[in-house]
Amino acid sequence: MTLNLTGKHLIAGEWVEGSTTFTSSPASGESHTFFAGSAALVDRAMKAAEEAFVTYGYSSREERAKFLEAIAEQIDARGDEITKIGSQETGLPEARLVGERGRTTGQLRLFATHILKGDYLDRRHDAALPDRQPLPRPDIRLMQRPIGPVGVFGASNFPLAFSTAGGDTASALAAGCPVVVKGHEAHPGTSEIVAQAIAAAIKSCGIHPGVFSLIQGGNRETGEAICLHPLTRAVGFTGSLRGGRALFDLCVRREEPIPFFGELGSVNPMFLLPAAVSARGETIAKGWAGSLTMGAGQFCTNPGIAVVKEGAEADAFLETAKTALAATNAQTMLTDGIANAYREGAKRIEATEGVQSVLTTTCDLRNATPYLFATTGENWLANHVLGEEVFGPLGVLVTVKDEAEMVHIAESLVGQLTTTLQMDDADAPIARKLLPILERKSGRVLANGFPTGVEVCDAMVHGGPYPATTNFGATSVGTMAIRRFMRPVSYQNIPVALLPEDLQ
Ligand code: NAP
């Protein structure tokens, strides 16, 4: 199969060159040359997006649902091409790419159904009370409205489901907002082919082409320009705490600050409660190893920390986890940079005082093998570095003296995407103490499962307090993600004929 790549940016329906180029670094197969982004290209795309908003922001929900469905169809039509280039660029197995494509088209279709239902508009009406004393009440109606052009950063670890046509793009387009995507440099070919699918859907649906642009990466200027452009109304991002924080700061320091919805990082602590460990410690340990190593550990929901009461059962748990992790083969990571950062992170933990190295088979280049460390609760509390995310298949088992120390660890956590309780009925008293603490620390609290594999549905929250995200009131997965790109507007005494169609 030949790949249909131009190496160009897609700006408002046109394939455009830039003045500089970069070369992709695929995990396998040949590299390709792409034009790099620039502030001038961002300006062109944002102006087109603003122009498109004039009509797209007032399009009907039926029109937008059809458009989202058409994007999904066009992505499926390019399925083999996407799997081939995606797997070459990221090193992810083909089966994972096929699964992730299903999730991506599923998200687009879910948002189509969601907007047709209309509940997300949160329509309210306080009818006029002309005879009310001492003052009459005016007629007031409220509805959520799209905010305008949205910037989206493609994520390295989800080349489809959190990139060009991923959850951020799908929710913004569903809301009625045009999107300008900054492609991630780790998978520019995948981004281009998905952009071709969106361009085809725009054409077939007769939508203003400014509704979508893809600007490839290749330099920092592009991402900065998206955050700083005066027409950008909000930004969606998935990536590192460092990068996300830098871009968040740019967004809030603008003369007119805008929301930056950054999904940054998390160690997703798991609390292993005593009765559960006694009853099924071995099964939990094997499950933990599976969750830690899934996708080479490159998930923001990777459960990097497990907290357990010290003793023979904790020792057996550690041994089982070690054996299960040691049996995992080396896996290819998404980029050389991510593989290096993983090994550096492991070194940082290994060098921390009071840390026992349980499994440390290292490998080189873009590969990753699992690491397992153990430490005491007291040491974990004293060393901030042990609570920082190491992106990859790395676990730290924290053994606590007693229940009070376990509670203390929960209290000391910074914001997390998820926290997990492994519990049996007899653990209910301690679980009851932990739950009110954990719900303040994380976007999702689970019992007896593993946080990897985030369900895309109405009740999902993939969010949490800082530093898990930069906006604790939001989710980037599930239908509630649409709220990020809408804001409530009250219409007071506006003649019905002038109101947006959805409010009439
Ligand atoms: P990243 O470094 O945060 O980069 C993500 C995107 O933001 C890229 O497009 C990057 O552009 C841009 N960016 C970062 N810093 C910037 C700055 N100061 N100014 C302008 N643009 C900036 O994430 P990554 O490349 O995907 O992976 C690196 C590390 O991020 C991983 O090792 C891991 O620790 C973490 N990560 C976490 C998650 C998660 O879900 N928690 C997901 C992916 C990665 P450039 O490519 O031009 O730098």
Side-chain angles (χ1 to χ4, degrees):
M1 185 207 316
T2 43
L3 290 168
N4 183 22
L5 290 176
T6 67
K8 297 180 184 175
H9 311 281
L10 171 66
I11 300 188
E14 284 179 44
W15 291 94
V16 175
E17 298 184 356
S19 49
T20 58
T21 59
F22 69 97
T23 306
S24 63
S25 313
S28 65
E30 56 179 309
S31 54
H32 300 274
T33 301
F34 292 86
F35 287 100
S38 67
L41 291 168
V42 170
D43 182 55
R44 188 167 155 186
M46 278 298 171
K47 283 179 175 152
E50 179 66 21
E51 199 184 302
F53 186 61
V54 174
T55 47
Y56 191 69
Y58 284 86
S59 58
S60 71
R61 287 180 279 133
E62 288 73 16
E63 281 172 283
R64 292 201 301 283
K66 240 190 226 161
F67 176 41
L68 294 168
E69 297 269 2
I71 297 173
E73 273 164 36
Q74 293 291 345
I75 288 175
D76 279 337
R78 290 162 179 78
D80 291 344
E81 231 182 317
I82 290 170
T83 302
K84 182 176 174 189
I85 184 81
S87 172
Q88 285 180 355
E89 289 186 326
T90 63
L92 293 169
E94 291 200 352
R96 152 77 195 268
L97 265 301
V98 171
E100 196 181 318
R101 175 159 53 85
R103 177 175 166 159
T104 309
T105 52
Q107 281 175 166
L108 288 157
R109 293 186 170 114
L110 178 68
F111 276 111
T113 318
H114 184 63
I115 57 172
L116 287 177
K117 285 190 217 148
D119 304 352
Y120 77 105
L121 295 168
D122 195 8
R123 287 172 280 200
R124 298 162 191 224
H125 184 194
D126 291 305
L129 299 174
D131 301 326
R132 192 181 68 173
Q133 292 301 328
L135 289 170
R137 182 172 80 182
D139 183 272
I140 306 177
R141 296 170 200 238
L142 175 151
M143 187 177 68
Q144 298 281 345
R145 292 291 300 145
I147 55 176
V150 167
V152 169
F153 282 72
S156 61
N157 61 337
F158 278 95
L160 300 172
F162 275 92
S163 286
T164 313
D168 290 341
T169 299
S171 50
L173 290 177
C177 299
V179 171
V180 176
V181 171
K182 188 241 174 192
H184 199 288
E185 213 178 307
H187 53 256
T190 315
S191 302
E192 183 182 330
I193 294 179
V194 174
Q196 289 171 10
I198 300 177
I202 288 175
K203 246 193 190 150
S204 72
C205 295
I207 284 172
H208 190 299
V211 84
F212 177 83
S213 293
L214 165 72
I215 301 177
Q216 297 284 8
N219 60 50
R220 284 280 154 96
E221 177 187 328
T222 307
E224 288 172 1
I226 286 178
C227 291
L228 294 174
H229 199 284
L231 294 173
T232 308
R233 298 291 85 204
V235 175
F237 173 93
T238 299
S240 67
L241 173 56
R242 196 161 153 200
R245 181 64 204 235
L247 295 166
F248 168 82
D249 288 344
L250 281 184
C251 286
V252 295
R253 278 200 217 115
R254 291 165 48 122
E255 191 179 331
E256 183 195 4
I258 53 167
F260 177 85
F261 297 100
E263 195 260 85
L264 308 182
S266 188
V267 288
N268 305 294
M270 223 173 47
F271 292 83
L272 314 173
L273 305 190
V277 177
S278 286
R280 50 196 168 83
E282 191 179 331
T283 311
I284 300 170
K286 286 181 184 163
W288 186 38
S291 183
L292 271 179
T293 51
M294 189 188 284
Q298 300 166 119
F299 289 115
C300 38
T301 49
N302 204 25
I305 307 274
V307 186
V308 67
K309 187 159 173 294
E310 66 186 14
E313 283 169 349
D315 296 345
F317 180 91
L318 188 64
E319 206 45 45
T320 309
K322 178 187 172 180
T323 308
L325 288 170
T328 311
N329 292 328
Q331 297 178 75
T332 311
M333 295 200 91
L334 294 159
T335 65
D336 293 341
I338 287 177
N340 284 334
Y342 172 59
R343 286 189 285 268
E344 288 303 314
K347 271 191 212 154
R348 233 177 15 249
I349 293 197
E350 203 169 1
T352 308
E353 217 181 300
V355 170
Q356 177 200 348
S357 299
V358 181
L359 179 71
T360 56
T361 11
T362 54
C363 54
D364 60 359
L365 306 171
R366 205 153 147 178
N367 298 318
T369 42
Y371 287 86
L372 181 62
F373 299 101
T375 193
T376 61
E378 193 181 356
N379 197 47
W380 193 85
L381 287 164
N383 286 289
H384 190 256
V385 68
L386 297 176
E388 288 172 8
E389 181 186 46
V390 178
F391 200 60
L394 181 149
V396 180
L397 185 76
V398 182
T399 50
V400 293
K401 286 195 288 288
D402 50 24
E403 194 177 282
E405 193 168 48
M406 193 175 265
V407 169
H408 192 30
I409 288 193
E411 284 166 346
S412 76
L413 293 174
V414 296
Q416 304 287 336
L417 292 169
T418 73
T419 48
T420 301
L421 296 169
Q422 300 292 353
M423 59 174 289
D424 273 3
D425 290 349
D427 293 314
I430 163 88
R432 216 166 261 129
K433 279 189 198 159
L434 287 168
L435 191 57
I437 304 168
L438 299 182
E439 72 165 31
R440 293 186 67 192
K441 301 285 182 178
S442 53
R444 177 164 56 114
V445 193
L446 305 76
N448 298 331
F450 296 95
T452 40
V454 183
E455 192 66 35
V456 183
C457 59
D458 288 333
M460 179 50 66
V461 172
H462 188 62
Y466 186 85
T469 78
T470 52
N471 190 306
F472 63 74
T475 175
S476 60
V477 176
T479 50
M480 215 174 77
I482 199 171
R483 284 220 190 139
R484 298 173 299 167
F485 306 124
M486 308 198 77
R487 65 181 186 86
V489 179
S490 280
Y491 300 86
Q492 186 169 326
N493 281 344
I494 301 290
V496 170
L498 292 188
L499 289 170
E501 207 178 313
D502 274 324
L503 205 49
Q504 286 176 9

